[in-house]
Amino acid sequence: MPTTNGHTLTSAEDMRKAREWAGRFLDGPGSVPISFVYDGKLVRGIPADWQPVSTRRRVDANIVETVFEGADPATGLRIRVEGVMYEDYPVVEWTAWLTNAGHGPTPIISDLLGLDGVFGGASTGLYHCNGDFNSADGYTPQESRLRPGDALAFAPTGGRPCDGAFPFFRILFEEGGLTLAVGWPGQWSASFEGLADGVRVRAGQEKTHLRLNPGETVRTPRMTVLAWSGDASRAVNLWRRWYFAHLLPRPNGQTLAPHLAWSGPGEGIEFTAATEENQIEYIDLARRRGIPFDVWWIDAGWYPCYDANHERKWPVTGSWEPDPERFPNGLKPVSDHAAGKGADLLIWFEPERVRPGTRLDVERPEWLLRVEGAENRLLNLGIPECRQWLTDHVCGLIQDNGIKIYRQDFNFKPLDYWRLNEGPERAGINENLHVQGYLQYWDDLLARNPGLWLDSCASGGRRNDLETLRRSVPLHYTDHGYGDHATKLAFQRSMHEWMPYFKESDLSWDLDGKNRFVQRVDSFSYHCGLAALFGTGLDVRRDDLDYGLARTMLGIVMRAAGLLLRGDYHPLTPFHRSLEQWVARQFDCPEDGSGFIQAIRLQQAPDESATFHPRGLRPDAAYRLENPETGETRAVAGAVLIRDGLTLALARRSGAIWFYQETHGA
């Protein structure tokens, strides 16, 4: 088990709770907590008369998989449930597949749930969040009462899983709780009912009422349950540790490190004015300015995207090839030039959206789902031939153009496209097959392109369920508030708790308005943009910017990001979006006694100083504190920091990062 300073991070009590609350679901085929209505009859688990069998195998040193299978003797419907138990973290997962192995359509399958079960205990509440919906009100953590008789229900809007709802929850019990994730990159639903002796949870694809044709398969969401004892801080940091250990992508087998992304789109909207020549020019200019970027970012608009007036508009998607007018040699000269400067090429795609007149619309209309009156068409990844063509085509683009980071966006709501193109006895089939195709597409991209990593985007952060996050990182986690400091700091609080590898930027709209480029180097924006990947569009053509300050702040941000990606997260101020308050947070690495405390005094905060009480420090140790911006250092006993806190004085609209390192016994 992971340890910190000799103490087991994952405790025996955590593992006991995981076994008691969720591990029992994998005791046998009848206990798996799936359910559905089949030919009008409720089915729970795998019935005994379906002759279930089970197999068990060790996946690796920390993961054991149990598979349950059975078949309806009357119709040939087969069930396969794959369950996973982690031995280094208190985590249990399972997914179910239903396949028609018969010769005709099945009876109606409806209300298919990946989780229909009770977690026992005296519940006190439910912790939940409202996801991303291009609003300052997004990513708001909420805690709701969940006592006997209380009921809560959640679902996103429009078919993207984080759009107005968030498929991550914590059920709070008196001495701990359960973290629950619904892994479904589509329209899920979840309900929580308080009982006298526990909480009943139902979760699955929101709507299923369908017959399966011979050979067809539908699946449930992957359900993930993490048990924890203690307070909410343990819940947060057990989840983060598990995420880093088992979910964070590892291109070429290496832990994903902090990165610095740079870009230069040219004068058009998005990257519609990007050319081979100006991309190489921007790369060279950024290097001459001494900017140590390691990702060169090309976003929407690099492909032929001409509208009816032959004007380039980036949403005109469906012809996936470098625009021959601007990239006559493809993107390979740009990727080669970036690689020569030590940077990988990131390229934006949005394959599921097809506009009229583009290549896919003209050549493959049978692969598209349409909604009357809508300009977008949805590329139907539930069609195997469509998915295979897309996989082969995009793999060719990746390999021919030297693409190292594949960025996928999804800028419209797919739900009507799925539901309005299926009959009453096929409700839910389009969504289910599309979800399977989407995940298979990503799995194939990763398998066929060693070292590739994926960035998940969907009008910001609207498709970041756990199945998506197993394959990607959510670099662009919102379309709102890039330069609104209080808003983005509030967003970051939720991101650090659930999906801590994301991108931030150095925009400061209170100085420069909502411009694409930062118009000056602003140390405050670097403080508010601290994240695992820092991205900027600083216009390196300008000679009047303080590149020395930029290099200094980028060095500090990248140093802090390294600790962010291996440290426990402790917010030191309450959640808020107020310009009249401070924001403080700590990332602590107890394995080696290092970390940092960051304090930010927002623009209208009246208090000239504030005191923060760090978490996780040892009272019997001494600590050396360093502020790299000012050069100031302090030596403080751990017991004093714990008792008195760290008091900092800052001017309005400024921040400070104090790195610390345990030195010796106090």
Short mmCIF file of all heavy atoms in Angstrom, two decimals, residues 30 39 73 100 229 268 294 347 394 408-409 430 487 513 515 525 539 565 586 602 622 626:
data_model
loop_
_atom_site.label_atom_id
_atom_site.label_comp_id
_atom_site.label_asym_id
_atom_site.label_seq_id
_atom_site.Cartn_x
_atom_site.Cartn_y
_atom_site.Cartn_z
N GLY A 30 -25.05 -13.47 -8.90
CA GLY A 30 -26.33 -12.94 -8.47
C GLY A 30 -26.23 -11.65 -7.68
O GLY A 30 -27.24 -10.96 -7.49
N ASP A 39 -38.38 -8.26 -21.21
CA ASP A 39 -39.68 -8.82 -21.58
C ASP A 39 -40.69 -8.62 -20.46
O ASP A 39 -41.48 -9.50 -20.13
CB ASP A 39 -39.54 -10.31 -21.92
CG ASP A 39 -40.72 -10.83 -22.74
OD1 ASP A 39 -41.47 -9.99 -23.29
OD2 ASP A 39 -40.87 -12.06 -22.81
N PRO A 73 -31.61 -18.93 -21.31
CA PRO A 73 -31.79 -20.14 -22.13
C PRO A 73 -32.91 -20.01 -23.16
O PRO A 73 -32.91 -20.72 -24.17
CB PRO A 73 -32.13 -21.21 -21.08
CG PRO A 73 -32.66 -20.47 -19.89
CD PRO A 73 -31.93 -19.16 -19.89
N ASN A 100 -26.88 -10.01 -27.90
CA ASN A 100 -27.86 -10.92 -28.49
C ASN A 100 -27.12 -12.01 -29.26
O ASN A 100 -26.61 -11.77 -30.37
CB ASN A 100 -28.81 -10.17 -29.42
CG ASN A 100 -29.87 -11.07 -30.01
OD1 ASN A 100 -29.92 -12.27 -29.74
ND2 ASN A 100 -30.74 -10.50 -30.83
N SER A 229 -12.38 6.49 4.93
CA SER A 229 -12.70 6.78 6.32
C SER A 229 -12.07 8.11 6.67
O SER A 229 -11.05 8.50 6.10
CB SER A 229 -12.18 5.68 7.24
OG SER A 229 -10.79 5.49 7.06
N GLY A 268 -6.15 35.68 -37.94
CA GLY A 268 -7.53 35.25 -38.14
C GLY A 268 -8.19 34.80 -36.86
O GLY A 268 -7.61 34.83 -35.77
N ASP A 294 7.29 23.34 -24.46
CA ASP A 294 7.51 21.98 -24.95
C ASP A 294 6.29 21.41 -25.66
O ASP A 294 6.28 20.24 -26.04
CB ASP A 294 7.96 21.05 -23.83
CG ASP A 294 7.06 21.08 -22.61
OD1 ASP A 294 5.94 21.62 -22.72
OD2 ASP A 294 7.47 20.58 -21.55
N ILE A 347 -2.60 19.07 -32.11
CA ILE A 347 -3.52 19.45 -33.18
C ILE A 347 -4.96 19.17 -32.74
O ILE A 347 -5.27 18.12 -32.19
CB ILE A 347 -3.22 18.67 -34.48
CG1 ILE A 347 -1.84 19.04 -35.02
CG2 ILE A 347 -4.29 18.93 -35.53
CD1 ILE A 347 -1.73 20.47 -35.52
N VAL A 394 -7.42 9.15 -39.37
CA VAL A 394 -6.76 10.00 -38.38
C VAL A 394 -5.40 9.44 -37.99
O VAL A 394 -4.45 10.20 -37.80
CB VAL A 394 -7.67 10.20 -37.15
CG1 VAL A 394 -6.93 10.94 -36.04
CG2 VAL A 394 -8.91 10.99 -37.55
N GLN A 408 -9.40 16.47 -29.04
CA GLN A 408 -10.72 16.25 -29.63
C GLN A 408 -11.76 17.12 -28.95
O GLN A 408 -11.92 17.08 -27.73
CB GLN A 408 -11.13 14.79 -29.53
CG GLN A 408 -12.48 14.52 -30.21
CD GLN A 408 -12.73 13.07 -30.50
OE1 GLN A 408 -11.80 12.34 -30.85
NE2 GLN A 408 -13.97 12.62 -30.36
N ASP A 409 -12.48 17.88 -29.74
CA ASP A 409 -13.54 18.77 -29.28
C ASP A 409 -14.90 18.18 -29.69
O ASP A 409 -14.97 17.24 -30.50
CB ASP A 409 -13.34 20.15 -29.89
CG ASP A 409 -13.88 21.28 -29.03
OD1 ASP A 409 -14.74 21.01 -28.17
OD2 ASP A 409 -13.46 22.43 -29.21
N ASN A 430 -28.79 4.17 -30.46
CA ASN A 430 -27.81 5.02 -31.14
C ASN A 430 -26.77 5.57 -30.17
O ASN A 430 -25.57 5.58 -30.47
CB ASN A 430 -28.53 6.19 -31.85
CG ASN A 430 -29.17 5.77 -33.15
OD1 ASN A 430 -28.80 4.76 -33.75
ND2 ASN A 430 -30.17 6.53 -33.58
N THR A 487 -13.29 33.80 -10.92
CA THR A 487 -14.07 32.70 -11.48
C THR A 487 -13.18 31.50 -11.74
O THR A 487 -13.50 30.36 -11.38
CB THR A 487 -14.76 33.15 -12.77
OG1 THR A 487 -15.70 34.18 -12.46
CG2 THR A 487 -15.49 31.99 -13.43
N GLY A 513 -9.37 43.43 -21.27
CA GLY A 513 -10.58 43.00 -21.95
C GLY A 513 -10.44 41.60 -22.49
O GLY A 513 -9.43 40.94 -22.30
N ASN A 515 -9.51 39.94 -24.98
CA ASN A 515 -8.70 39.79 -26.19
C ASN A 515 -8.08 38.41 -26.23
O ASN A 515 -7.86 37.77 -25.21
CB ASN A 515 -7.59 40.85 -26.22
CG ASN A 515 -8.15 42.25 -26.28
OD1 ASN A 515 -9.08 42.51 -27.02
ND2 ASN A 515 -7.59 43.15 -25.49
N SER A 525 -1.48 37.18 -13.24
CA SER A 525 -2.16 36.19 -14.08
C SER A 525 -1.46 34.84 -14.01
O SER A 525 -2.09 33.79 -14.14
CB SER A 525 -2.25 36.67 -15.53
OG SER A 525 -0.98 36.66 -16.16
N ASP A 539 2.05 37.31 -27.49
CA ASP A 539 2.44 37.66 -28.86
C ASP A 539 3.94 37.95 -28.91
O ASP A 539 4.38 39.07 -28.64
CB ASP A 539 1.63 38.86 -29.34
CG ASP A 539 1.80 39.12 -30.82
OD1 ASP A 539 2.70 38.50 -31.44
OD2 ASP A 539 1.05 39.94 -31.37
N LEU A 565 1.44 17.79 -9.06
CA LEU A 565 1.14 16.49 -9.65
C LEU A 565 1.56 15.32 -8.77
O LEU A 565 1.36 14.17 -9.17
CB LEU A 565 1.80 16.38 -11.03
CG LEU A 565 1.17 17.24 -12.11
CD1 LEU A 565 1.92 17.09 -13.42
CD2 LEU A 565 -0.30 16.89 -12.30
N GLN A 586 -2.74 24.76 -0.71
CA GLN A 586 -1.48 24.09 -0.38
C GLN A 586 -1.42 22.76 -1.11
O GLN A 586 -2.43 22.06 -1.25
CB GLN A 586 -1.41 23.83 1.14
CG GLN A 586 -0.20 23.04 1.60
CD GLN A 586 -0.33 22.59 3.04
OE1 GLN A 586 -1.39 22.75 3.65
NE2 GLN A 586 0.72 22.01 3.59
N LEU A 602 -7.14 38.98 -4.09
CA LEU A 602 -7.86 39.42 -5.28
C LEU A 602 -8.07 40.93 -5.29
O LEU A 602 -7.77 41.63 -4.31
CB LEU A 602 -9.18 38.66 -5.39
CG LEU A 602 -8.97 37.19 -5.82
CD1 LEU A 602 -10.17 36.35 -5.49
CD2 LEU A 602 -8.66 37.13 -7.32
N ALA A 622 11.43 20.70 11.23
CA ALA A 622 11.66 22.11 10.88
C ALA A 622 11.51 22.26 9.37
O ALA A 622 11.73 21.31 8.60
CB ALA A 622 13.06 22.54 11.31
N GLU A 626 10.64 29.32 1.14
CA GLU A 626 11.30 30.16 0.14
C GLU A 626 10.25 30.79 -0.77
O GLU A 626 9.38 30.09 -1.30
CB GLU A 626 12.27 29.32 -0.69
CG GLU A 626 12.86 30.05 -1.89
CD GLU A 626 13.34 29.11 -2.98
OE1 GLU A 626 13.20 27.88 -2.82
OE2 GLU A 626 13.83 29.63 -4.01
#
